[in-house]
Amino acid sequence: MASQTFVKTRLMTPGPTTVPPAVLLEMAEPIIHHRTKQFQAIFAEVSQRLQRVFRTEQPVLTLSGSGTTAFEAAQISLAKPGSKVLTIGAGKFGERWQDIYDTYAEVLGLTENIKLNVPWGQAPTADQVDEVLKANPEVSIVTLVHSETSTATACDVQAIAKVVSQTDALLLVDGITSVGTMPVEMDAWGIDVLVTGSQKALMLPPGLGFVALGERAQKRLEEVKPRGYYNLDLRKWLKSWQKQDVPFTPPVSLIRGQRVALEMIEAEGLENVWTRSRLLAQGARAAFVAMGLKLISDSPSDSVTGAFYPEGINDSKFRAGTRDDQGIHIAGGQNGRGASWKGKIFRISSMGYVDSGDMLAALTAIEVQLIAGGHVIKPGTALAAVAGVLQ
Ligand SMILES: *Cc1c(COP(=O)(O)O)cnc(C)c1O
């Protein structure tokens, strides 16, 4: 299909994701000053809508920065000096939260960063967490990734939260590719801190990070004094939030766009969004398996799906093909301590502004490029498999 002169781009990477036209239009509105009633009304509305997406009655803070900014802020603001932290790694992002505590260990006065690592593609379990916490009652923080985007794997946050809530430790959950796309019940499951970023399921450009703070986390902020950080001090963000305000100049346009994106989520219904994402991911998994590919996860997430390349497929050629010939932009693999998946896998997203037409187009493009690379499959295999799920 290289003879095509017009290619419509579909961004199917697991962040950033496609931004709906209504959100783009809203962000083109003139900049207003943030210390005004007009901005405060928008901010208050956004905050309330965020609480509904996070399934919490507690504050959801909106920080300037990416998802990493938001998670780092939570990690450093909440750790207790003289305590241990437990950081669970099962992919690139869990390993990042391990690195952040290594970086700050001295400044924060941490005595140990206990790293619980499970093989990439597997989910950590409540029993594994329970065992470490029983042996280490001085742990003050547990970090966990709900949907590990690098391995397309979801874990049982509800079961792990139950274990952690019986201790003095706070559970910090990276929900960056779960909030707004998969069921996560912050209050009902007893999650202490839940984080996401704007460019994944919330259908916005990159640039905002969100931190929801449960009651135990708010109490911890009062008990612990900040040390070695300033802008990322959640005490400042929480204090401003209580007046429906922000401590520093916010990305006003993004917050305007966010109001519209959250309105769209509520108009569809959050549960309907979860169902849509789940069906699209199930369709992707069915198509990959039908094409003879091996999934990268034993416990697949519904926001991102990944597969190992079959023999003979070249990663950069394959992904350049789907992107340049068919307009389907998908992601490759990542390297970390637990695995080196660059060049070995590819991943597609089912988060945010994506429908069955997008998924059919993406899976067909993948099939075409696999065939072009010499993988033997009957044309139409992907379509038949995904149609079986979506019908
Ligand atoms: C994208 C992602 C991050 C990092 O977010 P940034 O916005 O790039 O900082 C962290 N965790 C998970 C699970 C992600 O998918």
Side-chain angles (χ1 to χ4, degrees):
M1 287 215 264
S3 59
Q4 283 189 137
T5 53
F6 171 70
V7 170
K8 181 171 162 190
T9 301
R10 286 181 165 92
L11 186 57
M12 298 290 285
T13 53
T17 64
T18 300
V19 178
V23 175
L24 294 171
L25 276 174
E26 177 69 21
M27 291 191 310
E29 289 287 325
I31 300 292
I32 53 173
H33 197 283
H34 56 290
R35 306 290 179 211
T36 55
K37 286 219 158 45
Q38 194 189 354
F39 177 76
Q40 271 161 5
I42 294 171
F43 190 75
E45 183 183 337
V46 161
S47 297
Q48 277 176 14
R49 289 187 186 273
L50 278 173
Q51 286 174 313
R52 295 198 280 270
V53 172
F54 277 71
R55 300 288 190 134
T56 186
E57 293 187 351
Q58 302 303 320
V60 186
L61 310 177
T62 296
L63 276 62
S64 315
S66 77
T68 303
T69 313
F71 208 84
E72 179 170 341
Q75 284 186 272
I76 60 181
S77 297
L78 291 161
K80 250 189 190 161
S83 76
K84 297 179 181 179
V85 293
L86 167 58
T87 49
I88 303 169
K92 182 83 185 168
F93 294 108
E95 290 177 4
R96 182 176 294 175
W97 314 140
Q98 295 180 334
D99 292 343
I100 286 179
Y101 272 137
D102 276 347
T103 307
Y104 282 98
E106 211 172 309
V107 172
L108 296 175
L110 300 176
T111 59
E112 195 183 346
N113 181 1
I114 306 169
K115 293 167 186 151
L116 171 62
N117 286 308
V118 309
W120 284 35
Q122 292 180 20
T125 66
D127 284 344
Q128 289 169 322
V129 177
D130 193 34
E131 198 181 313
V132 179
L133 290 179
K134 287 222 164 87
N136 297 277
E138 325 85 314
V139 168
S140 78
I141 299 278
V142 178
T143 64
L144 176 70
V145 181
H146 183 192
S147 165
E148 176 51 82
T149 315
S150 61
T151 67
T153 299
C155 67
D156 187 348
V157 171
Q158 186 176 9
I160 295 172
K162 204 167 159 200
V163 165
V164 178
S165 67
Q166 283 151 16
T167 71
D168 290 333
L170 298 178
L171 180 63
L172 274 53
V173 174
D174 168 350
I176 297 179
T177 54
S178 70
V179 172
T181 188
M182 284 160 50
V184 203
E185 303 281 356
M186 167 141 176
D187 288 357
W189 293 357
I191 296 170
D192 296 300
V193 178
L194 184 58
V195 170
T196 194
S198 53
Q199 80 279 25
K200 310 274 174 134
L202 300 187
M203 307 190 291
L204 286 161
L208 296 174
F210 308 98
V211 185
L213 290 171
E215 282 174 16
R216 294 203 311 163
Q218 292 171 58
K219 202 159 146 260
R220 176 74 65 82
L221 283 180
E222 286 170 17
E223 289 163 7
V224 176
K225 288 227 166 352
R227 40 202 282 174
Y229 49 91
Y230 184 89
N231 169 42
L232 296 185
D233 182 359
L234 288 185
R235 296 158 193 84
K236 291 187 173 67
W237 293 88
L238 180 60
K239 202 170 147 215
S240 292
W241 185 90
Q242 277 147 355
K243 298 173 284 177
Q244 290 309 327
D245 206 345
V246 278
F248 317 109
T249 312
V252 172
S253 304
L254 281 176
I255 290 171
R256 288 189 84 130
Q258 186 191 356
R259 194 190 59 73
V260 174
L262 292 172
E263 211 170 56
M264 285 176 69
I265 290 174
E266 287 197 67
E268 183 178 351
L270 185 60
E271 282 94 347
N272 296 330
V273 175
W274 293 345
T275 304
R276 174 165 53 83
S277 301
R278 177 170 53 77
L279 285 172
L280 294 175
Q282 277 174 354
R285 296 199 288 267
F288 288 177
V289 170
M291 291 189 285
L293 307 185
K294 186 178 176 303
L295 298 178
I296 60 173
S297 176
D298 294 346
S299 170
S301 165
D302 286 334
S303 54
V304 52
T305 303
F308 290 100
Y309 286 118
E311 201 71 53
I313 302 292
N314 175 282
D315 170 55
S316 34
K317 220 171 132 195
F318 171 81
R319 286 191 297 117
T322 63
R323 191 188 59 225
D324 300 338
D325 296 348
Q326 287 137 312
I328 306 294
H329 196 157
I330 61 178
Q334 292 170 294
N335 288 346
R337 285 189 287 276
S340 298
W341 280 0
K342 235 178 211 162
K344 301 207 177 96
I345 67 153
F346 67 94
R347 297 168 297 149
I348 61 170
S349 161
S350 44
M351 285 180 280
Y353 193 60
V354 52
D355 70 359
S356 54
D358 295 320
M359 192 51 88
L360 291 173
L363 293 168
T364 303
I366 287 166
E367 181 188 282
V368 166
Q369 292 302 325
L370 287 173
I371 292 173
H375 185 57
V376 180
I377 28 174
K378 199 167 136 246
T381 302
L383 206 59
V386 71
V389 173
L390 296 180
Q391 268 160 15

